[in-house]
Amino acid sequence: MFMQTKSMNAIVERSHNDATAVVKPSSTRYYRPELDVVRFLAFLLVFVYHTLPSSRDPRVVHFLGMFALEYDAFSNACGFGLSLFFTLSAFLICELLLRERQASGTVAVEKFYIRRILRIWPLYYFGVMLGVAATLLPGIPHSSLAKMGWFAIFMGAWVCATQGGFTNPAIVLWSVSVEEQFYLIAPWMIKYTSRRTLSAFCVALVVFSCCWLFYFGRVKAFHYVIWFNSFVQFECFAVGILLCLALNGRLPKFAAWQRIALLLLAILGWFYACYGLHAIPTDYLAQNPGSWSLICGYGFGALGSVLVLVAVLGVRSSLLPAWAIYLGRISFGLYVFHAFAIYLTNSLVLDKVTQYKGITIVRSLEGPIYLFNMALTLGLTILMAALSYRYLETPFLKMKSRIAVIESEPVGTASIK
């Protein structure tokens, strides 16, 4: 009997080790290069979402034919890259603060806010200033100047939710204001609550977000009212924290085919949320598809983000491309600058090439021209982000690292090796 019990215990322990690899907490460092790859993936999805032309664009509609709905669903599904950003941010912040509490017995909230200010504010306010300057450019209404004032106090999400989106490349900063609102809550909850209480709070936050979605479905709110609403987006932060609590310092350990299957499930969930449930329509002024479609659609968005993180966490760093790690490390700049790059390339290249003396060019060339313009836009975005990381962000990141309790990223070594 004793030998049987010992054998059973060995089997259970071996099964547990197959599912997760325990990571010994470090009192000084937590850096996962695979999370940089996830950051780049999240940016790339958002970039595709913002650069792919609509199926109703007369210059590309003839290429789509009967696949217009699938094309739009794919393009809209890429918008969940922002959900992936939010989920990753919540997961990482929770992991770092829990490790800080374990190492020092508490969470130094004031130092947390100083670190966030040093990481976010320099580039954020530089983006706001570029948005103010952009109001002088052709095609950007001067009325957006007043709305940029709300961005200066991190109320960009709410002004977009109440007044709608507007034509200014800096509008992408609305999501940063949502993160800043999340930061007002997260460190205090992690400092003063137990893991069980924190889990209950996150579950309640998911329910709270679903209640808002149910309400918006009943009143037939426009899409922009829903998408820009901070309370709706808080669902992604909640599931990111829940994932952190569930893993409890462990890394998922899966075979390659299992990780690929999880990624495919995430993609299929995002696609169905847009194709079957119409959670993210192409038109921001479109009415929503109803309460339950919204709840399920945004739920697939949050769940897909969790699946991506689970699929990537624990991947050996030797399997990760160095260039993807680098681009993930400068992903904040990629996100801030990509809309400005889109404006520049569309104004100076795409609109000039696709129209010559008012006559549309040969249609057979339009597909390659769009692809060339996307590649040019991506290249310009990377250049701007790399310069920003080197000359604007790195000095502040070095200051941030001096007061870090748990070091989370290398500073000054963001280069392709």
Side-chain angles (χ1 to χ4, degrees):
M1 179 64 71
F2 173 76
M3 293 300 295
Q4 289 179 345
T5 302
K6 187 175 181 179
S7 300
M8 287 299 296
N9 289 339
I11 293 173
V12 171
E13 182 179 355
R14 191 160 54 248
S15 300
H16 181 269
N17 290 337
D18 288 341
T20 57
V22 178
V23 179
K24 295 181 179 180
S26 170
S27 59
T28 59
R29 181 178 176 84
Y30 177 80
Y31 173 65
R32 305 299 313 175
E34 64 267 33
L35 295 184
D36 283 329
V37 177
V38 174
R39 286 191 183 97
F40 175 62
L41 173 63
F43 158 74
L44 194 60
L45 290 171
V46 174
F47 177 82
V48 171
Y49 175 62
H50 286 157
T51 52
L52 280 181
S54 168
S55 64
R56 289 180 289 279
D57 190 324
R59 294 174 297 184
V60 297
V61 67
H62 64 282
F63 287 111
L64 302 177
M66 66 179 66
F67 298 105
L69 293 178
E70 290 79 5
Y71 170 85
D72 277 340
F74 167 79
S75 175
N76 296 337
C78 291
F80 284 119
L82 191 58
S83 303
L84 181 56
F85 262 127
F86 290 154
T87 305
L88 172 59
S89 177
F91 171 84
L92 187 56
I93 290 298
C94 183
E95 183 69 37
L96 292 173
L97 292 182
L98 285 177
R99 287 172 179 260
E100 177 180 339
R101 190 173 74 172
Q102 181 178 355
S104 62
T106 186
V107 173
V109 178
E110 65 283 357
K111 288 185 177 181
F112 169 81
Y113 285 129
I114 293 173
R115 293 194 298 270
R116 287 295 87 196
I117 288 172
L118 292 173
R119 181 65 188 100
I120 301 297
W121 287 23
L123 181 54
Y124 176 82
Y125 279 109
F126 184 74
V128 170
M129 289 189 294
L130 288 180
V132 171
T135 59
L136 303 176
L137 298 175
I140 300 179
H142 297 293
S143 59
S144 65
L145 181 61
K147 294 182 179 180
M148 291 309 304
W150 290 102
F151 279 70
I153 57 174
F154 298 102
M155 294 295 288
W158 291 112
V159 73
C160 291
T162 55
Q163 301 181 26
F166 54 95
T167 305
N168 190 305
I171 191 177
V172 298
L173 297 175
W174 73 270
S175 62
V176 182
S177 67
V178 175
E179 288 207 48
E180 292 294 282
Q181 293 160 26
F182 162 72
Y183 294 148
L184 294 176
I185 306 171
W188 300 104
M189 292 296 300
I190 297 173
K191 179 177 182 176
Y192 289 113
T193 64
S194 65
R195 299 176 70 92
R196 179 175 297 181
T197 303
L198 184 58
S199 298
F201 171 77
C202 290
V203 172
L205 193 57
V206 171
V207 174
F208 182 65
S209 298
C210 290
C211 289
W212 273 97
L213 291 170
F214 182 82
Y215 167 75
F216 286 140
R218 292 294 297 272
V219 300
K220 297 297 181 182
F222 290 123
H223 171 61
Y224 72 84
V225 177
I226 305 169
W227 182 248
F228 292 121
N229 188 282
S230 296
F231 295 141
V232 170
Q233 298 296 347
F234 277 178
E235 179 179 21
C236 295
F237 293 100
V239 297
I241 294 177
L242 287 173
L243 175 62
C244 176
L245 295 173
L247 291 177
N248 194 21
R250 298 185 295 266
L251 293 175
K253 188 176 181 181
F254 296 111
W257 71 268
Q258 292 172 317
R259 295 182 183 277
I260 294 174
L262 290 173
L263 290 174
L264 290 176
L265 282 175
I267 294 171
L268 289 175
W270 287 342
F271 181 81
Y272 179 72
C274 297
Y275 184 75
L277 300 174
H278 307 288
I280 300 182
T282 302
D283 186 2
Y284 273 97
L285 294 177
Q287 286 189 339
N288 67 78
S291 297
W292 296 113
S293 292
L294 284 177
I295 292 172
C296 294
Y298 278 79
F300 277 122
L303 178 60
S305 301
V306 170
L307 291 177
V308 171
L309 284 178
V310 172
V312 176
L313 273 169
V315 173
R316 293 197 305 271
S317 59
S318 59
L319 299 177
L320 304 173
W323 58 266
I325 296 175
Y326 168 71
L327 293 176
R329 206 172 294 168
I330 66 170
S331 60
F332 186 25
L334 294 175
Y335 181 77
V336 170
F337 292 116
H338 81 278
F340 293 96
I342 290 172
Y343 172 82
L344 290 175
T345 55
N346 283 357
S347 301
L348 301 178
V349 179
L350 185 62
D351 292 342
K352 301 294 184 182
V353 175
T354 56
Q355 297 287 333
Y356 178 71
K357 294 183 179 181
I359 302 175
T360 304
I361 66 170
V362 180
R363 287 186 170 184
S364 61
L365 298 178
E366 289 181 352
I369 288 173
Y370 273 110
L371 292 176
F372 171 78
N373 189 70
M374 287 182 66
L376 181 64
T377 304
L378 181 60
L380 179 59
T381 302
I382 293 174
L383 175 62
M384 297 168 71
L387 293 174
S388 170
Y389 188 89
R390 174 64 180 86
Y391 297 105
L392 173 61
E393 299 167 65
T394 294
F396 293 99
L397 289 175
K398 290 181 178 179
M399 296 169 59
K400 169 179 171 285
S401 65
R402 297 191 188 105
I403 60 173
V405 180
I406 307 295
E407 186 180 347
S408 60
E409 62 178 313
V411 179
T413 59
S415 59
I416 302 178
K417 297 180 180 180

